[in-house]
Amino acid sequence: MEKRSDLKTLVDDVTVGIKYAAKNIFTFLLGLIGILLVTAVFIVLFMIVFIFGLMLFMGGPAGMIAFFMSLETLFLGPEAVTTIGFFLLILLPFLSPLFVAIGVLFGMGREIVESEGANAEGVFTWYRRKFVPLAIGGIIVFLVVVGPIFLGVMILFYTGGVTSNITNAFLATITTLWVIIASGSLTMLFPSIIDGQSAFEALKTTLRMSHTYFDRVFSVWLGYIGILILPFVPAIFLFPVLLPGSVFSGISIAFMALMGIWALVDILIIVPAISISLSRVYLILSAIEPTETEDEHPGISFVGGI
Amino acid sequence: MSKKTKVKPMKDLEIISDPKTIKVLFEPTRADIVFKFLVSGSMTVKQLSDALGKNPGTILHHIDKLKEVGLVVQERTEQTVTGIVQRYYRATAREFRLGIGGMMQTDDGVAQFAKDRLTTMITSLSVYGIQVPQEEVDGAMQILRPLIERENAVSSNLPILDEPTYHKLPPSVRDDASRIMRRFILEEDSQYRELREKWNTFLRSHRKGK
Protein backbone atom coordinates (compact mmCIF):
# COMPACT_ATOMS: atom_id res chain seq x y z
CA MET A 1 0.00 0.00 0.00
CA GLU A 2 1.40 3.33 -1.10
CA LYS A 3 1.57 5.99 1.59
CA ARG A 4 2.66 8.77 -0.75
CA SER A 5 0.32 10.64 -3.04
CA ASP A 6 -0.03 11.23 -6.74
CA LEU A 7 -2.98 12.21 -8.90
CA LYS A 8 -4.32 8.65 -9.18
CA THR A 9 -4.07 8.15 -5.40
CA LEU A 10 -5.89 11.43 -4.78
CA VAL A 11 -8.66 10.48 -7.21
CA ASP A 12 -8.94 7.04 -5.53
CA ASP A 13 -9.08 8.59 -2.05
CA VAL A 14 -11.87 10.98 -3.04
CA THR A 15 -13.79 8.51 -5.23
CA VAL A 16 -13.88 5.82 -2.54
CA GLY A 17 -15.08 8.37 0.01
CA ILE A 18 -17.88 9.65 -2.21
CA LYS A 19 -18.86 6.14 -3.33
CA TYR A 20 -19.31 4.83 0.20
CA ALA A 21 -20.92 8.05 1.42
CA ALA A 22 -23.53 7.71 -1.33
CA LYS A 23 -24.05 4.01 -0.52
CA ASN A 24 -24.61 4.82 3.16
CA ILE A 25 -26.46 8.12 2.70
CA PHE A 26 -29.46 7.14 4.82
CA THR A 27 -27.30 5.71 7.58
CA PHE A 28 -25.38 8.96 7.80
CA LEU A 29 -28.56 11.04 7.59
CA LEU A 30 -30.31 9.15 10.39
CA GLY A 31 -27.16 9.08 12.46
CA LEU A 32 -26.61 12.81 11.96
CA ILE A 33 -30.20 13.66 12.90
CA GLY A 34 -29.95 11.53 16.04
CA ILE A 35 -26.62 13.02 17.05
CA LEU A 36 -27.71 16.61 16.40
CA LEU A 37 -30.79 16.09 18.56
CA VAL A 38 -28.68 14.68 21.39
CA THR A 39 -26.19 17.53 20.92
CA ALA A 40 -28.95 20.15 21.10
CA VAL A 41 -30.30 18.55 24.28
CA PHE A 42 -26.82 18.53 25.84
CA ILE A 43 -26.16 22.17 24.96
CA VAL A 44 -29.53 23.23 26.38
CA LEU A 45 -28.86 21.20 29.55
CA PHE A 46 -25.41 22.78 29.96
CA MET A 47 -26.95 26.24 29.51
CA ILE A 48 -29.66 25.53 32.09
CA VAL A 49 -27.08 24.32 34.60
CA PHE A 50 -24.93 27.38 33.88
CA ILE A 51 -27.81 29.81 34.28
CA PHE A 52 -29.01 28.20 37.52
CA GLY A 53 -25.46 28.26 38.84
CA LEU A 54 -25.14 31.90 37.91
CA MET A 55 -28.48 32.72 39.58
CA LEU A 56 -27.37 31.01 42.80
CA PHE A 57 -24.07 32.87 42.73
CA MET A 58 -25.66 36.25 41.91
CA GLY A 59 -28.40 35.92 44.55
CA GLY A 60 -31.38 35.23 42.31
CA PRO A 61 -32.82 36.29 38.93
CA ALA A 62 -32.61 40.01 39.72
CA GLY A 63 -28.91 39.73 40.54
CA MET A 64 -28.28 37.78 37.32
CA ILE A 65 -30.11 40.35 35.18
CA ALA A 66 -28.13 43.18 36.82
CA PHE A 67 -24.91 41.28 36.04
CA PHE A 68 -25.76 40.88 32.35
CA MET A 69 -26.79 44.57 32.15
CA SER A 70 -23.42 45.55 33.57
CA LEU A 71 -21.71 43.54 30.82
CA GLU A 72 -23.10 46.01 28.28
CA THR A 73 -20.38 48.50 29.20
CA LEU A 74 -17.72 45.85 28.73
CA PHE A 75 -19.05 44.67 25.38
CA LEU A 76 -19.45 48.21 24.03
CA GLY A 77 -16.42 49.77 25.66
CA PRO A 78 -12.75 49.83 24.63
CA GLU A 79 -12.23 46.32 26.08
CA ALA A 80 -14.96 44.81 23.86
CA VAL A 81 -12.75 42.41 21.87
CA THR A 82 -11.03 41.06 25.00
CA THR A 83 -14.41 40.57 26.67
CA ILE A 84 -15.76 38.72 23.63
CA GLY A 85 -12.68 36.49 23.60
CA PHE A 86 -13.03 35.78 27.32
CA PHE A 87 -16.68 34.82 26.94
CA LEU A 88 -15.90 32.64 23.92
CA LEU A 89 -13.41 30.74 26.06
CA ILE A 90 -16.05 30.23 28.77
CA LEU A 91 -18.61 29.11 26.20
CA LEU A 92 -16.20 26.65 24.56
CA PRO A 93 -16.99 23.70 26.87
CA PHE A 94 -20.69 24.23 26.16
CA LEU A 95 -19.97 23.74 22.46
CA SER A 96 -18.13 20.48 23.12
CA PRO A 97 -21.19 18.29 22.28
CA LEU A 98 -21.06 19.84 18.81
CA PHE A 99 -17.39 18.88 18.46
CA VAL A 100 -18.25 15.36 19.62
CA ALA A 101 -20.97 15.19 16.94
CA ILE A 102 -18.34 16.00 14.30
CA GLY A 103 -15.98 13.41 15.76
CA VAL A 104 -18.70 10.75 15.75
CA LEU A 105 -18.93 11.13 11.96
CA PHE A 106 -15.39 9.79 11.88
CA GLY A 107 -16.52 6.79 13.93
CA MET A 108 -19.04 5.98 11.21
CA GLY A 109 -16.40 6.64 8.58
CA ARG A 110 -14.07 4.18 10.29
CA GLU A 111 -16.77 1.49 10.41
CA ILE A 112 -17.45 1.96 6.72
CA VAL A 113 -13.77 1.86 5.76
CA GLU A 114 -13.16 -1.34 7.72
CA SER A 115 -16.37 -3.18 6.97
CA GLU A 116 -18.09 -1.45 3.99
CA GLY A 117 -21.09 -0.50 6.12
CA ALA A 118 -22.32 1.08 9.33
CA ASN A 119 -25.61 1.42 11.15
CA ALA A 120 -27.22 4.58 12.44
CA GLU A 121 -27.52 3.47 16.06
CA GLY A 122 -23.76 2.89 16.13
CA VAL A 123 -23.28 6.67 16.34
CA PHE A 124 -24.67 6.68 19.87
CA THR A 125 -22.10 4.06 20.92
CA TRP A 126 -19.29 6.25 19.56
CA TYR A 127 -20.88 9.30 21.22
CA ARG A 128 -20.98 7.56 24.60
CA ARG A 129 -17.59 5.84 24.50
CA LYS A 130 -15.54 8.68 22.98
CA PHE A 131 -17.34 11.76 24.35
CA VAL A 132 -14.47 13.13 26.44
CA PRO A 133 -11.56 12.64 24.01
CA LEU A 134 -13.63 13.90 21.05
CA ALA A 135 -14.73 16.95 23.06
CA ILE A 136 -11.14 17.75 24.00
CA GLY A 137 -10.06 17.12 20.41
CA GLY A 138 -12.71 19.51 19.12
CA ILE A 139 -11.64 22.22 21.55
CA ILE A 140 -8.02 21.75 20.44
CA VAL A 141 -9.03 22.14 16.77
CA PHE A 142 -11.08 25.25 17.57
CA LEU A 143 -8.30 26.88 19.59
CA VAL A 144 -5.58 26.06 17.05
CA VAL A 145 -7.51 27.15 13.95
CA VAL A 146 -9.59 30.05 15.29
CA GLY A 147 -7.41 31.17 18.22
CA PRO A 148 -4.65 32.89 16.25
CA ILE A 149 -7.20 34.59 13.99
CA PHE A 150 -8.97 36.00 17.03
CA LEU A 151 -5.63 37.15 18.46
CA GLY A 152 -4.93 38.90 15.17
CA VAL A 153 -8.31 40.65 15.31
CA MET A 154 -7.54 41.76 18.88
CA ILE A 155 -4.17 43.18 17.85
CA LEU A 156 -5.75 45.04 14.93
CA PHE A 157 -8.53 46.37 17.15
CA TYR A 158 -6.17 47.73 19.77
CA THR A 159 -3.73 49.19 17.22
CA GLY A 160 -6.41 51.19 15.44
CA GLY A 161 -7.44 48.81 12.66
CA VAL A 162 -6.42 48.43 9.01
CA THR A 163 -6.48 51.36 6.61
CA SER A 164 -5.37 50.19 3.19
CA ASN A 165 -6.93 47.70 0.74
CA ILE A 166 -3.56 46.04 0.12
CA THR A 167 -3.10 45.34 3.83
CA ASN A 168 -6.67 44.02 3.96
CA ALA A 169 -5.98 41.68 1.06
CA PHE A 170 -2.70 40.56 2.65
CA LEU A 171 -4.40 39.83 5.97
CA ALA A 172 -7.25 37.97 4.26
CA THR A 173 -4.70 35.82 2.39
CA ILE A 174 -2.72 35.08 5.56
CA THR A 175 -5.92 34.17 7.43
CA THR A 176 -7.07 31.83 4.64
CA LEU A 177 -3.65 30.18 4.45
CA TRP A 178 -3.59 29.72 8.22
CA VAL A 179 -7.05 28.14 8.27
CA ILE A 180 -6.14 25.73 5.47
CA ILE A 181 -2.74 24.75 6.89
CA ALA A 182 -3.90 24.50 10.52
CA SER A 183 -7.03 22.53 9.68
CA GLY A 184 -5.11 20.33 7.23
CA SER A 185 -2.53 19.52 9.91
CA LEU A 186 -5.30 18.43 12.24
CA THR A 187 -7.23 16.21 9.79
CA MET A 188 -5.89 13.04 11.35
CA LEU A 189 -6.88 14.11 14.90
CA PHE A 190 -10.39 12.68 14.97
CA PRO A 191 -9.45 9.42 13.17
CA SER A 192 -6.67 8.93 15.76
CA ILE A 193 -9.09 9.48 18.63
CA ILE A 194 -11.52 7.01 17.06
CA ASP A 195 -8.58 4.58 16.83
CA GLY A 196 -8.30 4.64 20.63
CA GLN A 197 -5.76 7.38 21.27
CA SER A 198 -6.24 10.13 23.81
CA ALA A 199 -6.77 13.68 22.51
CA PHE A 200 -3.15 14.67 23.20
CA GLU A 201 -1.67 11.49 21.68
CA ALA A 202 -3.91 12.07 18.68
CA LEU A 203 -2.59 15.64 18.41
CA LYS A 204 0.99 14.31 18.25
CA THR A 205 -0.06 11.68 15.69
CA THR A 206 -1.82 14.13 13.41
CA LEU A 207 1.06 16.61 13.47
CA ARG A 208 3.56 13.81 12.77
CA MET A 209 1.49 12.35 9.92
CA SER A 210 0.78 15.71 8.31
CA HIS A 211 4.51 16.45 8.42
CA THR A 212 5.82 13.05 7.25
CA TYR A 213 3.08 12.44 4.68
CA PHE A 214 2.42 16.05 3.80
CA ASP A 215 1.49 15.24 0.22
CA ARG A 216 -1.06 12.55 1.11
CA VAL A 217 -2.74 14.42 3.94
CA PHE A 218 -2.98 17.82 2.30
CA SER A 219 -3.90 16.55 -1.16
CA VAL A 220 -7.02 14.85 0.20
CA TRP A 221 -7.89 17.83 2.40
CA LEU A 222 -7.45 20.40 -0.37
CA GLY A 223 -9.27 18.16 -2.80
CA TYR A 224 -12.32 18.16 -0.58
CA ILE A 225 -12.11 21.89 0.18
CA GLY A 226 -12.22 22.40 -3.56
CA ILE A 227 -15.24 20.13 -3.96
CA LEU A 228 -17.05 21.84 -1.08
CA ILE A 229 -16.38 25.43 -2.05
CA LEU A 230 -15.51 25.78 -5.73
CA PRO A 231 -19.11 25.33 -7.03
CA PHE A 232 -20.07 28.40 -4.96
CA VAL A 233 -17.26 30.61 -6.28
CA PRO A 234 -19.10 31.73 -9.45
CA ALA A 235 -22.00 32.88 -7.22
CA ILE A 236 -19.67 35.30 -5.39
CA PHE A 237 -18.72 37.02 -8.63
CA LEU A 238 -22.15 36.84 -10.29
CA PHE A 239 -24.14 37.84 -7.19
CA PRO A 240 -24.38 41.60 -7.97
CA VAL A 241 -25.57 40.74 -11.49
CA LEU A 242 -27.97 38.00 -10.50
CA LEU A 243 -29.82 39.77 -7.68
CA PRO A 244 -33.54 38.89 -7.57
CA GLY A 245 -35.64 41.62 -9.12
CA SER A 246 -33.05 42.37 -11.81
CA VAL A 247 -33.40 41.63 -15.53
CA PHE A 248 -31.78 38.26 -14.90
CA SER A 249 -34.07 37.25 -12.00
CA GLY A 250 -35.28 34.03 -13.69
CA ILE A 251 -31.67 32.94 -14.18
CA SER A 252 -30.77 34.07 -10.68
CA ILE A 253 -33.51 31.91 -9.17
CA ALA A 254 -32.32 28.91 -11.18
CA PHE A 255 -28.74 29.64 -10.10
CA MET A 256 -29.76 29.91 -6.44
CA ALA A 257 -31.63 26.62 -6.77
CA LEU A 258 -28.48 24.97 -8.14
CA MET A 259 -26.46 26.37 -5.24
CA GLY A 260 -29.10 25.04 -2.83
CA ILE A 261 -28.88 21.58 -4.39
CA TRP A 262 -25.08 21.63 -4.17
CA ALA A 263 -25.28 22.71 -0.51
CA LEU A 264 -27.50 19.68 0.11
CA VAL A 265 -25.04 17.43 -1.71
CA ASP A 266 -22.28 18.90 0.45
CA ILE A 267 -24.13 18.09 3.67
CA LEU A 268 -25.47 14.66 2.70
CA ILE A 269 -22.58 13.26 0.70
CA ILE A 270 -19.42 15.35 0.71
CA VAL A 271 -19.17 15.86 4.49
CA PRO A 272 -19.62 12.10 5.19
CA ALA A 273 -17.22 11.38 2.32
CA ILE A 274 -14.59 13.54 4.05
CA SER A 275 -14.89 11.41 7.20
CA ILE A 276 -14.59 8.21 5.14
CA SER A 277 -11.61 9.38 3.06
CA LEU A 278 -9.71 10.79 6.03
CA SER A 279 -10.36 7.61 8.08
CA ARG A 280 -9.10 5.58 5.12
CA VAL A 281 -5.98 7.69 4.72
CA TYR A 282 -5.35 7.38 8.46
CA LEU A 283 -5.53 3.57 8.28
CA ILE A 284 -3.13 3.54 5.33
CA LEU A 285 -0.64 5.91 6.98
CA SER A 286 -0.76 4.02 10.30
CA ALA A 287 -0.31 0.60 8.62
CA ILE A 288 2.51 -1.53 9.98
CA GLU A 289 4.69 -4.24 8.42
CA PRO A 290 3.68 -7.85 9.05
CA THR A 291 6.16 -9.75 11.22
CA GLU A 292 4.84 -13.33 11.16
CA THR A 293 6.67 -15.73 8.84
CA GLU A 294 4.41 -17.61 6.42
CA ASP A 295 3.67 -21.18 7.52
CA GLU A 296 3.82 -23.70 4.67
CA HIS A 297 1.76 -26.19 6.67
CA PRO A 298 -0.23 -24.17 9.15
CA GLY A 299 -1.80 -25.98 12.08
CA ILE A 300 0.20 -29.21 11.67
CA SER A 301 1.80 -30.06 14.99
CA PHE A 302 4.07 -32.94 15.86
CA VAL A 303 4.37 -32.27 19.57
CA GLY A 304 1.88 -32.33 22.44
CA GLY A 305 2.71 -32.18 26.15
CA ILE A 306 5.60 -34.68 26.11
CA MET B 1 8.08 9.13 10.84
CA SER B 2 10.49 7.55 8.36
CA LYS B 3 11.24 4.41 10.41
CA LYS B 4 9.00 1.47 9.62
CA THR B 5 6.75 0.47 12.52
CA LYS B 6 6.79 -3.23 13.41
CA VAL B 7 4.78 -5.17 15.94
CA LYS B 8 6.35 -7.85 18.12
CA PRO B 9 5.83 -11.44 16.87
CA MET B 10 3.25 -13.64 18.56
CA LYS B 11 4.33 -15.20 21.86
CA ASP B 12 3.74 -18.88 22.58
CA LEU B 13 2.31 -18.47 26.03
CA GLU B 14 1.19 -15.53 28.08
CA ILE B 15 0.06 -15.66 31.68
CA ILE B 16 -2.47 -12.96 32.51
CA SER B 17 -2.20 -11.93 36.13
CA ASP B 18 -3.23 -8.28 35.97
CA PRO B 19 -6.75 -8.09 37.51
CA LYS B 20 -7.72 -5.30 35.08
CA THR B 21 -6.83 -7.46 32.07
CA ILE B 22 -8.66 -10.44 33.54
CA LYS B 23 -11.79 -8.33 33.97
CA VAL B 24 -11.60 -7.21 30.33
CA LEU B 25 -11.55 -10.86 29.24
CA PHE B 26 -14.58 -11.73 31.34
CA GLU B 27 -16.87 -10.07 28.82
CA PRO B 28 -18.13 -12.99 26.66
CA THR B 29 -17.71 -11.29 23.26
CA ARG B 30 -14.14 -10.25 24.06
CA ALA B 31 -13.34 -13.74 25.34
CA ASP B 32 -14.69 -15.20 22.07
CA ILE B 33 -12.72 -12.71 19.98
CA VAL B 34 -9.46 -13.69 21.68
CA PHE B 35 -9.81 -17.37 22.53
CA LYS B 36 -11.97 -18.56 19.65
CA PHE B 37 -10.56 -16.52 16.81
CA LEU B 38 -7.52 -14.31 17.21
CA VAL B 39 -5.24 -16.88 18.88
CA SER B 40 -5.55 -19.02 15.74
CA GLY B 41 -4.85 -16.31 13.21
CA SER B 42 -5.46 -12.73 12.22
CA MET B 43 -8.88 -11.45 11.22
CA THR B 44 -10.50 -8.19 10.16
CA VAL B 45 -13.31 -6.40 11.95
CA LYS B 46 -15.71 -7.50 9.19
CA GLN B 47 -14.69 -11.16 9.51
CA LEU B 48 -15.09 -11.04 13.29
CA SER B 49 -18.42 -9.26 12.96
CA ASP B 50 -19.72 -11.94 10.55
CA ALA B 51 -18.38 -14.78 12.71
CA LEU B 52 -19.85 -13.43 15.95
CA GLY B 53 -23.06 -11.94 14.52
CA LYS B 54 -22.32 -8.51 16.03
CA ASN B 55 -22.16 -5.21 14.21
CA PRO B 56 -18.73 -3.91 13.18
CA GLY B 57 -18.89 -0.87 15.46
CA THR B 58 -19.32 -3.13 18.50
CA ILE B 59 -16.41 -5.31 17.39
CA LEU B 60 -14.24 -2.20 16.94
CA HIS B 61 -14.98 -1.12 20.50
CA HIS B 62 -14.06 -4.54 21.87
CA ILE B 63 -10.85 -4.58 19.82
CA ASP B 64 -10.08 -1.14 21.26
CA LYS B 65 -10.39 -2.47 24.82
CA LEU B 66 -8.32 -5.56 24.01
CA LYS B 67 -5.59 -3.42 22.41
CA GLU B 68 -5.59 -1.17 25.47
CA VAL B 69 -4.69 -4.10 27.77
CA GLY B 70 -2.21 -5.54 25.28
CA LEU B 71 -4.04 -8.76 24.36
CA VAL B 72 -4.58 -7.89 20.71
CA VAL B 73 -2.41 -6.07 18.18
CA GLN B 74 -2.76 -4.86 14.65
CA GLU B 75 -0.86 -7.33 12.47
CA ARG B 76 -1.13 -5.81 9.01
CA THR B 77 -3.28 -3.57 6.82
CA GLU B 78 -4.51 -4.48 3.35
CA GLN B 79 -6.44 -2.69 0.67
CA THR B 80 -9.20 -4.52 -1.20
CA VAL B 81 -10.13 -4.03 -4.85
CA THR B 82 -13.19 -2.01 -3.78
CA GLY B 83 -10.95 0.53 -2.09
CA ILE B 84 -11.72 -0.60 1.46
CA VAL B 85 -8.73 -0.65 3.81
CA GLN B 86 -8.84 -3.48 6.32
CA ARG B 87 -6.77 -3.97 9.41
CA TYR B 88 -6.00 -7.50 10.47
CA TYR B 89 -5.85 -8.06 14.21
CA ARG B 90 -4.38 -10.99 16.11
CA ALA B 91 -3.82 -12.05 19.69
CA THR B 92 -0.41 -11.33 21.24
CA ALA B 93 0.05 -15.01 22.18
CA ARG B 94 -1.04 -18.40 20.91
CA GLU B 95 -2.04 -19.52 24.35
CA PHE B 96 -3.30 -17.48 27.27
CA ARG B 97 -3.63 -18.73 30.80
CA LEU B 98 -5.30 -16.79 33.55
CA GLY B 99 -3.05 -16.42 36.57
CA ILE B 100 -4.91 -17.77 39.57
CA GLY B 101 -3.19 -15.28 41.85
CA GLY B 102 -4.39 -12.39 39.73
CA MET B 103 -7.93 -13.73 39.57
CA MET B 104 -8.08 -14.08 43.34
CA GLN B 105 -7.24 -10.37 43.67
CA THR B 106 -10.15 -9.15 41.56
CA ASP B 107 -13.69 -8.41 42.65
CA ASP B 108 -16.97 -8.67 40.72
CA GLY B 109 -17.14 -12.44 41.15
CA VAL B 110 -13.89 -13.24 39.30
CA ALA B 111 -12.25 -14.50 42.48
CA GLN B 112 -15.28 -16.67 43.18
CA PHE B 113 -15.20 -17.93 39.59
CA ALA B 114 -11.55 -18.96 40.03
CA LYS B 115 -12.33 -20.79 43.29
CA ASP B 116 -15.38 -22.53 41.78
CA ARG B 117 -13.37 -23.53 38.74
CA LEU B 118 -10.60 -25.09 40.82
CA THR B 119 -13.20 -26.95 42.87
CA THR B 120 -14.88 -28.29 39.72
CA MET B 121 -11.51 -29.34 38.28
CA ILE B 122 -10.74 -31.35 41.39
CA THR B 123 -14.15 -32.98 41.77
CA SER B 124 -14.30 -33.84 38.05
CA LEU B 125 -11.19 -36.01 38.45
CA SER B 126 -13.69 -38.68 39.52
CA VAL B 127 -14.27 -39.46 35.83
CA TYR B 128 -10.66 -40.69 35.77
CA GLY B 129 -11.09 -42.71 38.96
CA ILE B 130 -9.63 -40.10 41.37
CA GLN B 131 -12.17 -39.66 44.16
CA VAL B 132 -11.69 -36.49 46.26
CA PRO B 133 -14.25 -36.15 49.08
CA GLN B 134 -15.85 -32.73 49.56
CA GLU B 135 -14.08 -32.15 52.90
CA GLU B 136 -10.68 -32.64 51.23
CA VAL B 137 -11.29 -30.31 48.27
CA ASP B 138 -9.83 -27.27 50.04
CA GLY B 139 -6.73 -29.27 50.90
CA ALA B 140 -6.45 -30.38 47.27
CA MET B 141 -6.68 -26.75 46.13
CA GLN B 142 -3.85 -25.82 48.47
CA ILE B 143 -1.63 -28.35 46.67
CA LEU B 144 -2.88 -27.78 43.10
CA ARG B 145 -2.86 -23.98 43.08
CA PRO B 146 0.88 -23.46 43.77
CA LEU B 147 1.66 -26.20 41.21
CA ILE B 148 -0.31 -24.41 38.48
CA GLU B 149 1.21 -21.05 39.42
CA ARG B 150 4.74 -22.48 39.37
CA GLU B 151 4.16 -24.12 35.98
CA ASN B 152 2.84 -20.84 34.57
CA ALA B 153 5.77 -18.87 35.98
CA VAL B 154 8.40 -21.29 34.57
CA SER B 155 6.68 -21.93 31.19
CA SER B 156 6.16 -18.28 30.42
CA ASN B 157 9.81 -17.49 31.08
CA LEU B 158 11.37 -19.68 28.40
CA PRO B 159 14.58 -17.86 27.41
CA ILE B 160 15.20 -17.39 23.68
CA LEU B 161 18.89 -17.00 22.93
CA ASP B 162 18.66 -16.38 19.17
CA GLU B 163 15.70 -14.04 18.68
CA PRO B 164 16.21 -13.22 14.99
CA THR B 165 16.29 -16.90 13.95
CA TYR B 166 13.42 -17.70 16.31
CA HIS B 167 11.18 -15.11 14.70
CA LYS B 168 11.98 -16.41 11.21
CA LEU B 169 10.78 -19.94 12.07
CA PRO B 170 7.39 -20.99 10.67
CA PRO B 171 4.78 -20.69 13.46
CA SER B 172 4.00 -24.44 13.66
CA VAL B 173 7.70 -25.32 14.00
CA ARG B 174 8.07 -22.62 16.65
CA ASP B 175 5.09 -24.10 18.54
CA ASP B 176 6.52 -27.62 18.53
CA ALA B 177 9.97 -26.48 19.59
CA SER B 178 8.42 -24.34 22.32
CA ARG B 179 6.43 -27.27 23.74
CA ILE B 180 9.52 -29.49 23.86
CA MET B 181 11.52 -26.79 25.64
CA ARG B 182 8.73 -25.92 28.08
CA ARG B 183 8.51 -29.53 29.18
CA PHE B 184 12.31 -29.65 29.55
CA ILE B 185 12.63 -26.50 31.70
CA LEU B 186 9.78 -27.67 33.91
CA GLU B 187 11.64 -30.92 34.52
CA GLU B 188 14.75 -28.91 35.36
CA ASP B 189 12.93 -26.74 37.94
CA SER B 190 13.31 -28.33 41.40
CA GLN B 191 10.45 -26.31 42.93
CA TYR B 192 8.08 -27.48 40.19
CA ARG B 193 9.25 -31.11 40.62
CA GLU B 194 8.63 -30.93 44.35
CA LEU B 195 5.11 -29.48 43.93
CA ARG B 196 4.28 -31.95 41.19
CA GLU B 197 5.41 -34.91 43.34
CA LYS B 198 3.23 -33.64 46.21
CA TRP B 199 0.24 -33.44 43.83
CA ASN B 200 0.94 -36.86 42.31
CA THR B 201 1.10 -38.35 45.83
CA PHE B 202 -2.29 -36.79 46.56
CA LEU B 203 -3.75 -38.25 43.34
CA ARG B 204 -2.32 -41.70 44.02
CA SER B 205 -3.81 -41.73 47.50
CA HIS B 206 -7.26 -40.91 46.14
CA ARG B 207 -7.27 -43.34 43.25
CA LYS B 208 -10.31 -45.64 43.36
CA GLY B 209 -9.52 -49.04 44.74
CA LYS B 210 -6.66 -47.66 46.91
Side-chain angles (χ1 to χ4, degrees):
Chain A
M1 262 185 323
E2 187 48 61
K3 294 189 180 186
R4 293 289 167 192
S5 190
D6 53 22
L7 183 62
K8 182 181 179 305
T9 308
L10 169 61
V11 169
D12 280 344
D13 284 342
V14 171
T15 315
V16 168
I18 292 175
K19 179 172 95 175
Y20 283 100
K23 263 176 106 170
N24 293 276
I25 188 171
F26 291 112
T27 306
F28 269 106
L29 183 61
L30 289 171
L32 261 175
I33 291 170
I35 281 304
L36 287 174
L37 282 171
V38 170
T39 301
V41 165
F42 263 116
I43 291 176
V44 165
L45 275 172
F46 282 177
M47 289 298 194
I48 292 171
V49 166
F50 178 70
I51 287 167
F52 269 115
L54 210 55
M55 272 194 343
L56 273 168
F57 190 67
M58 297 289 157
M64 191 181 71
I65 292 166
F67 168 71
F68 280 115
M69 298 284 280
S70 70
L71 289 180
E72 190 188 352
T73 47
L74 279 175
F75 278 111
L76 296 177
E79 309 291 321
V81 176
T82 316
T83 310
I84 291 168
F86 179 70
F87 271 91
L88 272 177
L89 277 175
I90 293 176
L91 282 177
L92 213 46
F94 295 97
L95 294 176
S96 55
L98 193 58
F99 299 140
V100 176
I102 297 168
V104 156
L105 269 182
F106 285 88
M108 293 182 73
R110 173 66 182 268
E111 282 185 42
I112 287 169
V113 173
E114 285 218 63
S115 57
E116 296 194 42
N119 54 35
E121 59 264 27
V123 296
F124 297 106
T125 313
W126 288 110
Y127 201 88
R128 185 168 42 92
R129 291 185 196 229
K130 301 285 181 186
F131 187 93
V132 171
L134 286 174
I136 297 171
I139 290 171
I140 290 172
V141 172
F142 185 85
L143 288 173
V144 168
V145 177
V146 175
I149 297 169
F150 192 78
L151 273 174
V153 167
M154 271 177 63
I155 292 167
L156 279 176
F157 184 81
Y158 289 114
T159 54
V162 174
T163 52
S164 77
N165 285 336
I166 293 171
T167 319
N168 262 337
F170 174 74
L171 286 172
T173 309
I174 293 287
T175 305
T176 308
L177 274 174
W178 172 254
V179 169
I180 290 173
I181 292 171
S183 57
S185 301
L186 296 175
T187 48
M188 298 289 116
L189 183 89
F190 282 127
S192 302
I193 292 173
I194 293 294
D195 197 29
Q197 296 182 30
S198 69
F200 295 105
E201 281 166 0
L203 178 62
K204 283 194 268 184
T205 300
T206 188
L207 292 174
R208 192 180 62 225
M209 279 184 175
S210 61
H211 174 255
T212 309
Y213 303 106
F214 179 88
D215 51 345
R216 192 66 184 269
V217 171
F218 277 89
S219 62
V220 173
W221 183 234
L222 290 172
Y224 272 113
I225 288 179
I227 294 171
L228 276 170
I229 294 170
L230 280 176
F232 296 102
V233 166
I236 299 165
F237 294 101
L238 295 174
F239 187 68
V241 175
L242 296 177
L243 278 173
S246 74
V247 175
F248 302 96
S249 64
I251 301 170
S252 72
I253 289 167
F255 198 74
M256 297 298 174
L258 270 172
M259 294 295 103
I261 291 168
W262 191 254
L264 213 56
V265 166
D266 271 355
I267 294 167
L268 293 179
I269 294 182
I270 305 302
V271 167
I274 292 173
S275 73
I276 294 169
S277 293
L278 290 177
S279 298
R280 183 173 176 274
V281 168
Y282 171 81
L283 285 178
I284 291 170
L285 297 183
S286 62
I288 56 174
E289 280 185 21
T291 47
E292 285 292 302
T293 312
E294 288 251 358
D295 203 337
E296 210 180 296
H297 303 288
I300 295 177
S301 173
F302 276 47
V303 177
I306 316 176
Chain B
M1 192 172 73
S2 54
K3 63 174 173 151
K4 293 177 184 182
T5 318
K6 287 189 179 201
V7 74
K8 284 187 190 161
M10 212 170 180
K11 286 190 257 185
D12 292 315
L13 169 66
E14 186 160 336
I15 311 297
I16 305 167
S17 12
D18 177 22
K20 185 183 162 204
T21 309
I22 292 170
K23 274 176 86 168
V24 165
L25 273 175
F26 261 69
E27 202 285 331
T29 307
R30 288 197 277 264
D32 280 346
I33 288 172
V34 174
F35 298 125
K36 258 192 193 166
F37 298 108
L38 297 188
V39 290
S40 316
S42 55
M43 290 173 77
T44 63
V45 165
K46 174 104 172 75
Q47 288 167 340
L48 284 166
S49 148
D50 290 342
L52 287 162
K54 306 266 179 196
N55 74 51
T58 306
I59 298 294
L60 260 175
H61 291 300
H62 287 308
I63 293 282
D64 229 6
K65 277 272 180 229
L66 291 166
K67 271 165 59 183
E68 223 175 280
V69 295
L71 291 174
V72 159
V73 286
Q74 171 195 342
E75 186 190 71
R76 67 186 191 278
T77 307
E78 283 179 6
Q79 193 170 316
T80 67
V81 291
T82 55
I84 289 301
V85 175
Q86 290 180 322
R87 262 191 192 166
Y88 284 77
Y89 299 95
R90 62 159 171 81
T92 49
R94 279 187 189 76
E95 184 184 345
F96 290 99
R97 290 187 201 162
L98 296 184
I100 297 174
M103 288 173 81
M104 295 300 199
Q105 284 169 46
T106 58
D107 45 23
D108 293 349
V110 174
Q112 188 59 44
F113 167 81
K115 192 171 179 223
D116 291 345
R117 182 66 186 273
L118 277 171
T119 307
T120 314
M121 271 163 63
I122 290 163
T123 54
S124 65
L125 291 172
S126 61
V127 305
Y128 296 103
I130 307 286
Q131 216 63 43
V132 181
Q134 198 56 43
E135 60 275 14
E136 288 185 53
V137 167
D138 276 349
M141 271 202 282
Q142 307 241 349
I143 304 172
L144 183 58
R145 185 180 152 177
L147 173 64
I148 292 174
E149 285 175 343
R150 186 64 194 165
E151 187 193 337
N152 287 346
V154 172
S155 300
S156 60
N157 249 331
L158 186 58
I160 298 167
L161 300 180
D162 184 355
E163 292 248 5
T165 307
Y166 173 78
H167 295 312
K168 285 184 190 145
L169 292 171
S172 54
V173 170
R174 212 156 57 209
D175 278 352
D176 284 346
S178 159
R179 281 193 203 101
I180 293 172
M181 286 310 297
R182 271 197 254 160
R183 177 53 59 200
F184 174 65
I185 61 163
L186 279 170
E187 291 300 328
E188 294 273 284
D189 187 78
S190 56
Q191 197 181 337
Y192 173 76
R193 282 202 315 267
E194 213 177 288
L195 290 165
R196 193 193 55 186
E197 193 43 45
K198 211 171 159 185
W199 175 245
N200 287 349
T201 308
F202 178 86
L203 290 178
R204 277 185 217 110
S205 67
H206 288 77
R207 199 181 283 169
K208 245 189 213 169
K210 286 262 168 178

